[in-house]
Amino acid sequence: MNKASLAAQFQKVFGRQPDIVTRAPGRIEFIGNHTDYNGGTVLGASIDRGVGVALARRTDGERNFHSSYTGKTVRLTAADAQVKQTGEASWTNYPLGVLAALPHFGLGVIEGFDYFADSDLPTGAGLSSSAAIELASALAFLGATGQTPDRETVVKVGKHAENHFVGVPCGILDQGVSGFGKAGHLVFIDCAGPRFATVPMPSGADFWIFNTHTKHALVDGLYAARHRECMAAAHTLGVKLLVEVSVDKLRAAESGVEATAFKRARHVVEEIARVDGTVQALRAGDIGKVGALLTASHRSSQHLFENSTPELDFLVDALVASAGVYGARLTGGGFGGAVMALAGAGFGAAQAEAVAAAYAARFGARPDILPMRTGDGAAVL
Ligand code: ADP
Ligand code: MG
C-alpha cells in the first residue's frame, strides 16, 4: 500500500487522480496497561501496517466515501454527513467524526470530496485500525484545504472523533502512537499532559502478535468496572488519580484499603513504575530487562488486575518458555484479544507455529500469527 497503488485504486473508483494521499499506522500497546485513564504513562509501537486514504475535492458539495473494506461507495449530502451512520455505512463514522471534530480545534471543514480508504491492517485485532483511519482521514481533509496544524492537534482531532462521534471512550494511546510513531522507535506518552516522546528500539527484537479472536461477553462492563475500581481506590488513598501514588506510599497504605481495590491500585501504580523501568532499560540497550518487565506486566494483569483470560495466559506461558522470546504480555484492554511477544532471531515462523498448534490443541481454535515491525507515524505521502 503506497502512494501509487492508492492513487490507482482511487482512479478506478472515481475516474480521476486524487489531490492528496495519506497513510497512518496501527499500533501495539507495548507496556502500560490501564494506565492512561489513571493519568499514568504508556509505551506504544507504531507498526508497519496501516490505513491509506486518497482524496480529491468536489465543487458540488457531495461527500462520497469508498473503502476497500466494504467495496461500496457511500454518497452523503452535507446534511446527511452531520448524522451518525448505521449498518453498512457505519465505517464512515470515523471520517465523519473527524470532520465533526475539526471546528472544535478552530480548523476549517472541507465541503465536497471523493474519499477512498484502503488498509493492510486487520480490524478489531487490537491494533487500532480505528485510530489509523482517523489520522489518515484527518491529514487528508487538512491537507486538501491547505491546513497544517501541529501533530498534537491532529492526534486530538482523531481522539475527539472516536470519543464523541463514534462514541468509544478511548484514551490518547491509540491516536498518540499513530501520530507520533517512528520506525525503529517506541512512542512514550505521559497521558496527564499529554506529552509525547520517542525512545529508540534496540535492533534485533521483533514483535509477534497472537490474536485469539476471543472476547469476554461482558468486556465493556468489565472495563467500566475496572475504571470505577481505580477511581474508588484513588479516592480512598486521598488522591484524584492513581498516578499521584508512589509504590512506597501505596504499600504503606495497604491496611486501610479494601483487598480488591488494593490489588487494582497495585497493578496500576506498579505498571507505571514498569513503564519508567522499560524506558530506562531501552536506553541502556538491556533487551533482557525489557522482556522481563513485559512478562511482569502480564503476571500483574493475571493476578492483580484480573483482566487476563485462560487463553491469554496459555499463550504467554507458551511464549516465555520458547527459545528467543524476551517477554510476552496481553496487549490492549484485556478480557480476551491478543498477546504480544518481543523476540530475537532465535524465534521465527516455526516457533510461532508450534505455539499456535499447542494453543489449538488446548482450545480448539487457532490464533492468528501476525509478525510486526515498527513503522513510521501518520504522514502525507
Ligand atoms: P480496532 O481499532 O482495534 O481495529 P475498532 O472496532 O476500534 O477496532 O475499529 C474497527 C472499525 O474501524 C471497523 O469496524 C471499521 O468501521 C473502521 N475501519 C478500520 N479500518 C477501515 C478501513 N480501511 N476502511 C473502512 N473502515 C475501517
Ligand atoms: Mg479501535
Side-chain angles (χ1 to χ4, degrees):
M1 203 182 53
N2 53 32
K3 187 176 179 179
S5 76
L6 286 160
Q9 292 182 82
F10 184 94
Q11 170 93 37
K12 224 175 193 170
V13 176
F14 294 112
R16 58 181 177 137
Q17 281 294 298
D19 299 336
I20 187 164
V21 179
T22 63
R23 184 193 162 277
R27 64 99 189 93
I28 299 170
E29 177 196 286
F30 189 72
I31 191 166
N33 186 257
H34 287 256
T35 54
D36 55 357
Y37 57 80
N38 288 297
T41 51
V42 60
L43 274 169
S46 55
I47 54 177
D48 58 349
R49 299 189 192 208
V51 174
V53 167
L55 182 131
R57 301 190 71 140
R58 291 179 68 98
T59 50
D60 60 4
E62 218 174 82
R63 300 168 178 211
N64 297 325
F65 293 93
H66 188 103
S67 172
S68 56
Y69 181 69
T70 57
K72 290 189 184 147
T73 304
V74 180
R75 291 183 192 286
L76 300 177
T77 62
D80 293 338
Q82 309 302 316
V83 205
K84 206 171 159 182
Q85 305 295 305
T86 53
E88 235 187 5
S90 59
W91 71 268
T92 61
N93 289 323
Y94 295 89
L96 291 176
V98 168
L99 290 172
L102 292 170
H104 293 276
F105 297 87
L107 295 163
V109 177
I110 181 171
E111 286 303 326
F113 52 82
D114 291 331
Y115 169 109
F116 173 84
D118 189 22
S119 171
D120 56 8
L121 191 63
T123 60
L127 298 172
S128 207
S129 67
S130 58
I133 192 171
E134 286 152 10
L135 265 70
S137 300
L139 288 181
F141 294 139
L142 290 164
T145 46
Q147 301 178 93
T148 51
D150 60 25
R151 200 40 41 154
E152 185 171 328
T153 304
V154 177
V155 163
K156 287 179 173 168
V157 164
K159 179 174 184 286
H160 192 282
E162 182 129 2
N163 292 163
H164 300 284
F165 201 89
V166 178
V168 176
C170 64
I172 194 77
L173 168 73
D174 300 355
Q175 293 81 12
V177 174
S178 184
F180 282 90
K182 198 169 158 194
H185 290 70
L186 296 173
V187 180
F188 171 87
I189 306 178
D190 181 346
C191 301
R195 188 172 63 80
F196 306 90
T198 54
V199 186
M201 244 332 261
S203 57
D206 289 318
F207 304 102
W208 293 79
I209 299 288
F210 291 78
N211 184 17
T212 66
H213 293 281
T214 59
K215 189 174 170 180
H216 199 294
L218 303 173
V219 57
D220 291 343
L222 287 164
Y223 199 97
R226 291 296 177 277
H227 188 284
R228 253 193 333 270
E229 289 164 351
C230 288
M231 296 308 147
H235 185 77
T236 306
L237 291 159
V239 295
K240 192 155 170 280
L241 294 171
L242 285 174
V243 68
E244 296 161 60
V245 185
S246 67
V247 173
D248 289 343
K249 188 175 159 194
L250 180 68
R251 218 169 272 153
E254 178 164 5
S255 60
V257 184
E258 183 272 322
T260 301
F262 183 80
K263 284 204 290 186
R264 309 299 188 239
R266 188 176 155 202
H267 170 78
V268 171
V269 169
E270 291 184 352
E271 184 77 353
I272 293 169
R274 275 189 290 271
V275 174
D276 287 345
T278 305
V279 171
Q280 285 166 24
L282 286 166
R283 292 226 165 93
D286 187 348
I287 195 78
K289 179 82 190 291
V290 172
L293 287 162
L294 296 178
T295 306
S297 166
H298 185 82
R299 297 306 176 205
S300 179
S301 281
Q302 185 176 354
H303 301 298
L304 297 177
F305 211 65
E306 296 177 278
N307 61 330
S308 187
T309 62
E311 288 87 351
L312 301 176
D313 294 340
F314 181 93
L315 280 174
V316 168
D317 292 344
L319 283 161
V320 297
S322 301
V325 172
Y326 297 117
R329 62 181 289 271
L330 68 82
T331 176
F335 307 112
V339 161
M340 176 204 74
L342 186 70
F347 187 86
Q351 287 76 12
E353 192 50 50
V355 170
Y359 180 96
R362 168 80 172 75
F363 294 105
R366 264 182 63 89
D368 288 342
I369 304 170
L370 304 163
M372 300 276 166
R373 287 176 192 284
T374 59
D376 282 328
V380 174
L381 299 181

